Amino acid sequence: MKTVTISDVAAQAKVSKSTVSQFLNKRYDYMGDKTKQRIERAIEELGYQPNIVARSLKQKSTRTIGVIVANILHNFTTEVTRAIEDACISADYHTIICNADDDPEKEKHYIEMLRAKQVDGLIIFPTGGNRDLYKKMLKDRYPVIFLDRKVEDISISSVLLDNEMAAGLAIEHFIQKGYQRIGMITTSIMHHITPRLERIKGYEKAIRRHGLPFIEDYVKSAEPTNIQQVLEDLLGLEEPPEAILAGNDLVLIELLKYVKQKNLRIPEELAIIGIDDVSFASFYTPAITTVAQPTFEIGKMGAEALLNKIRTKNTENELFHYRFEPCLMVRDSV
């Protein structure tokens, strides 16, 4: 089949190519309604599809950003990427979302692939394992924003949660309710992931602030597949925790599975708080107390910060690490 061109549309609509181009770029300032209708009808009748690649080469912009998430299984990730997409659509930008699975090699592949596709900028939930690539983007003055995490000594702006405060809110609530033996489980800290390390730090600070002993055996990190065994060991201690803080939604799911398998009663036998306000928390029985992140605001700010860098072509904006405050959602699991 013959490829339909912008010239064909112009001839069918009896207008110039530049008028069709203005129509396609939504520049209607000096265009009458009848002209717009003729062009719309010609496009529909001919089945014209704009050549995005050619337009990108001409405008030196693909109007596309890449989003590389650390782990798409997190409820937080799903909600944040939805907010990023909404903000980009409002600005007439497309998004390509890639899942790195917390694997630096996959992250490296996606950074190189997206840059080769000439996306206008990147939002990255960094694994922390590609320092040379991060530095190269800075050297190239390429627009990039980190989300949910930051990387030590890498001068890339980030938008994230006040993670120490999030853990602190949970521990304060446990202590106010009379608990003293409080444990915490998070997913693996092997790659020094910002939220996980900061939440452990927030836990320790809150414990010490209230004069309670910091017991290292009460703090565990593991891959989700090993959390059941971690719980078995933790609750098998001579003096096991009376309460557990789940460091994220994946830990909370494994914790609730364990509770169900062992027929433990919440909160009578084990009190629970989870960081991340997962959708099922409010209607689980009993309803689970959580620490909520403002996911929509985090995603929206990340997208707007990147789009601002792209539009102004200013990659040397003042470095910032913006932190949102968490919120304790008090329910029945404590």
Side-chain angles (χ1 to χ4, degrees):
M1 289 178 64
K2 178 180 177 291
T3 302
V4 179
T5 68
I6 195 169
S7 298
D8 299 324
V9 174
Q12 179 99 341
K14 295 182 172 58
V15 296
S16 67
K17 284 170 58 179
S18 65
T19 301
V20 176
S21 179
Q22 287 171 11
F23 175 87
L24 293 171
N25 289 305
K26 300 180 181 179
R27 295 198 295 268
Y28 308 131
D29 295 352
Y30 304 104
M31 194 178 298
D33 288 340
K34 288 185 178 178
T35 301
K36 285 195 284 186
Q37 289 166 10
R38 288 206 311 276
I39 296 171
E40 283 176 353
R41 192 161 52 247
I43 287 172
E44 189 176 340
E45 290 172 355
L46 295 171
Y48 172 72
Q49 290 288 333
N51 188 329
I52 301 297
V53 175
R55 189 191 297 183
S56 298
L57 289 170
K58 186 176 180 181
Q59 297 178 349
K60 296 183 180 178
S61 168
T62 59
R63 297 198 73 81
T64 303
I65 69 161
V67 183
I68 304 175
V69 304
N71 188 335
I72 207 160
L73 293 177
H74 284 290
N75 182 71
F76 167 82
T77 303
T78 306
E79 293 181 1
V80 169
T81 50
R82 169 64 189 273
I84 292 170
E85 187 177 38
D86 286 351
C88 288
I89 286 173
S90 296
D92 197 26
Y93 272 75
H94 303 287
T95 53
I96 299 174
I97 298 171
C98 304
N99 175 41
D101 272 331
D102 276 321
D103 180 348
E105 279 303 311
K106 283 186 76 174
E107 180 187 60
K108 179 176 185 289
H109 165 75
Y110 285 132
I111 290 173
E112 291 173 343
M113 178 269 287
L114 289 167
R115 291 202 66 184
K117 287 183 179 293
Q118 297 185 338
V119 299
D120 295 343
L122 289 176
I123 293 175
I124 305 175
F125 297 53
T127 64
N130 286 295
R131 298 177 65 85
D132 289 342
L133 263 182
Y134 307 148
K135 288 176 181 176
K136 186 176 189 312
M137 285 188 283
L138 284 171
K139 184 181 177 184
D140 294 344
R141 300 176 65 187
Y142 183 74
V144 60
I145 293 285
F146 283 163
L147 218 67
D148 185 47
R149 306 169 176 186
K150 59 180 186 172
V151 180
E152 198 69 32
D153 300 326
I154 299 292
S155 300
I156 293 176
S157 294
S158 61
V159 180
L160 63 167
L161 184 71
D162 187 333
N163 291 292
E164 287 190 26
M165 183 180 179
L169 284 174
I171 302 308
E172 294 279 350
H173 188 62
F174 278 137
I175 292 171
Q176 285 170 10
K177 293 292 184 178
Y179 296 92
Q180 295 197 337
R181 300 200 312 272
I182 304 166
M184 178 178 180
I185 302 175
T186 186
T187 35
S188 174
I189 58 173
M190 186 181 299
H191 296 299
H192 308 288
I193 303 300
T194 309
R196 301 171 194 176
L197 294 174
E198 290 181 347
R199 290 171 192 179
I200 290 173
K201 189 183 293 184
Y203 161 90
E204 181 177 354
K205 283 183 177 179
I207 290 287
R208 295 189 187 280
R209 188 162 58 243
H210 285 272
L212 297 176
F214 175 70
I215 301 170
E216 287 191 11
D217 284 347
Y218 281 5
V219 183
K220 302 290 184 182
S221 73
E223 296 296 340
T225 51
N226 296 327
I227 286 173
Q228 299 280 321
Q229 185 57 53
V230 165
L231 281 160
E232 188 74 18
D233 297 341
L234 189 58
L235 296 178
L237 293 171
E238 190 172 329
E239 285 192 305
E242 313 159 289
I244 292 180
L245 171 60
N248 60 39
D249 56 336
L250 298 184
V251 174
L252 178 62
I253 289 168
E254 293 302 317
L255 177 51
L256 294 177
K257 282 182 189 174
Y258 181 88
V259 163
K260 185 176 181 181
Q261 289 166 7
K262 300 295 181 179
N263 293 313
L264 297 175
R265 290 174 300 135
I266 303 171
E268 293 85 357
E269 294 178 285
L270 185 66
I272 292 171
I273 297 178
I275 297 178
D276 289 327
D277 191 32
V278 289
S279 58
F280 62 79
S282 60
F283 57 80
Y284 188 87
T285 305
I288 305 297
T289 295
T290 60
V291 180
Q293 302 195 52
T295 50
F296 183 82
E297 289 84 353
I298 290 172
K300 185 171 183 282
M301 177 176 275
E304 288 176 348
L306 181 66
L307 291 173
N308 183 57
K309 279 180 174 286
I310 292 168
R311 289 181 187 127
T312 61
K313 296 184 171 31
N314 181 6
T315 55
E316 296 180 354
N317 291 340
E318 184 178 346
L319 177 70
F320 69 88
H321 298 296
Y322 188 90
R323 290 184 181 273
F324 282 89
E325 288 192 3
C327 177
L328 184 70
M329 310 296 287
V330 178
R331 299 190 180 101
D332 306 320
S333 61
V334 179

